[in-house]
Amino acid sequence: MANSGNMMNVVKGVAGGMLAGMAVGYAGKKMLDEKPKMKKKANKALQAFGEMIDTASIMFR
């Protein structure tokens, strides 16, 4: 029965992570909805990050 305690800790950790993710997502969406200029900058940053990941994956082939 020692494993049930470990499993409960994992479940609590996952639930806490999901809750934190939802809170950050909500705050981020609210901020982007209020400031359209920030949304445009965030989109450009995501595109640049995607291009960087593509370039890195090509380098490691």
Side-chain angles (χ1 to χ4, degrees):
M1 282 295 169
N3 274 344
S4 65
N6 290 338
M7 185 60 122
M8 214 40 199
N9 286 337
V10 170
V11 170
K12 287 179 185 176
V14 169
M18 288 174 61
L19 185 63
M22 287 172 44
V24 169
Y26 177 76
K29 181 172 176 9
K30 187 140 179 90
M31 187 171 59
L32 289 178
D33 287 345
E34 291 175 359
K35 298 180 181 176
K37 189 175 182 181
M38 185 177 285
K39 188 174 186 176
K40 186 176 179 181
K41 286 183 179 182
N43 192 20
K44 284 184 177 183
L46 281 175
Q47 283 181 335
F49 183 73
E51 290 175 8
M52 184 182 73
I53 295 297
D54 287 342
T55 302
S57 68
I58 290 170
M59 286 179 8
F60 286 113
R61 286 186 187 175

